[in-house]
Amino acid sequence: MSLVETPLIQLEDVHFGYGERPVLEGVSLKIPKGKVTALMGASGGGKTTVLRLIGGQYRANSGRVLFDTLDIGGLQRDALFQARRRMGMLFQFGALFTDMTVFDNVAFPLREHTRLPETMVRDIVLMKLQAVGLRGARDLLPSQISGGMARRVALARAMVLDPELMMYDEPFAGLDPISLGTAARLIRQLNDTLGLTSIVVSHDLEETFHIADQVIILANGRIAAQGTPAEVRNSSDPLVKQFVS
């Protein structure tokens, strides 16, 4: 493993399941600070579950989930909410509020979690919309913009509280090839420009390998491969080979 920087996230021997059905069985991994880590694998392999464990929506049955040395599973409600403010989440298909303008969608977390004056909210929102190339769409409703644009609005909203960690759940799903390429470049660019740490859960192999520093492949509740995109591509494991090709 060539990435030895301080990890922002660490999973230590994490077990998790729904009732009798195990999803993760003794998973240990590190997400290095400032890097883009891709989390890949077959459907139902536990990728989204890992994101939910990091965000504290789920608690591990055993093992530890550490966010910047905080044990997420052991945090009380207020401390968990405080930790979550340092995380941004881009949900599959964006999950925008349909009856709010683009501007109000992006402003929502600021109005909900801070007491900033409206003039400052306006400046921050326009700055984030500028970052995703959509300042001109601020007065439109989600129904008036394309799927690719909606995904970028959701990205601006996820970043509006300046998180240290950005989590993307299938950010490329349903996008045409051009929007997909734009979204992928944007994830990489924002990660580097803003000094973020990013986790991308995706099935889109080419684009994801192109922007990732580290790739982790989950299979059958365990880690099948972990390393740089080149290392994973050259893996001799038959399961990984099958997935990559």
Side-chain angles (χ1 to χ4, degrees):
M1 183 74 196
S2 49
L3 295 154
V4 290
E5 293 86 350
T6 323
L8 181 66
I9 306 284
Q10 251 178 299
L11 267 65
E12 297 175 347
D13 194 25
V14 168
H15 290 256
F16 178 83
Y18 302 102
E20 294 296 295
R21 188 172 79 85
V23 178
L24 301 174
E25 300 185 67
V27 167
S28 296
L29 58 84
K30 293 179 179 181
I31 308 288
K33 274 184 187 167
K35 304 288 181 190
V36 176
T37 295
L39 209 49
M40 308 187 85
S43 292
K47 304 179 300 293
T48 302
T49 301
V50 169
L51 298 187
R52 288 179 178 156
L53 287 164
I54 293 168
Q57 288 106 312
Y58 296 162
R59 301 210 168 192
N61 302 133
S62 66
R64 295 199 308 163
V65 178
L66 302 174
F67 170 61
D68 200 17
T69 71
L70 290 171
D71 183 356
I72 289 289
L75 296 180
Q76 297 302 311
R77 188 170 170 265
D78 288 355
L80 178 60
F81 282 177
Q82 214 166 346
R84 275 187 191 156
R85 272 179 215 160
R86 297 167 61 193
M87 307 175 187
M89 177 79 181
L90 182 71
F91 299 97
Q92 198 172 347
F93 303 118
L96 295 177
F97 299 115
T98 50
D99 54 349
M100 283 186 189
T101 63
V102 162
F103 181 95
D104 288 332
N105 261 288
V106 179
F108 185 82
L110 287 170
R111 290 169 176 157
E112 197 71 9
H113 296 297
T114 71
R115 294 183 177 174
L116 293 173
E118 201 55 31
T119 51
M120 199 175 275
V121 167
R122 182 184 171 277
D123 289 349
I124 295 170
V125 170
L126 292 180
M127 192 165 70
K128 297 301 178 191
L129 283 172
Q130 179 80 26
V132 299
L134 285 176
R135 195 178 165 122
R138 63 190 183 205
D139 297 325
L140 299 176
L141 289 167
S143 59
Q144 297 171 310
I145 58 177
S146 71
M149 288 166 81
R151 208 72 59 90
R152 279 150 58 198
V153 173
L155 180 51
R157 183 180 65 185
M159 293 189 322
V160 80
L161 292 170
D162 287 328
E164 293 159 56
L165 172 70
M166 269 300 301
M167 294 185 276
Y168 301 88
D169 193 5
E170 295 290 355
F172 312 131
L175 294 182
D176 63 81
I178 292 172
S179 302
L180 196 155
T182 306
R185 280 195 303 277
L186 197 54
I187 289 172
R188 181 75 247 184
Q189 199 181 331
L190 292 170
N191 189 84
D192 298 346
T193 315
L194 303 175
L196 302 171
T197 299
S198 302
I199 305 174
V200 181
V201 164
S202 173
H203 281 98
D204 196 288
L205 208 84
E206 281 313 310
E207 287 298 344
T208 309
F209 269 52
H210 193 62
I211 61 167
D213 298 296
Q214 168 179 238
V215 177
I216 297 171
I217 295 182
L218 288 172
N220 307 322
R222 301 178 187 277
I223 290 175
Q226 184 169 3
T228 64
E231 285 164 356
V232 171
R233 233 185 248 281
N234 298 325
S235 168
S236 55
D237 184 304
L239 192 78
V240 176
K241 265 187 162 158
Q242 189 186 355
F243 181 77
V244 170
S245 57

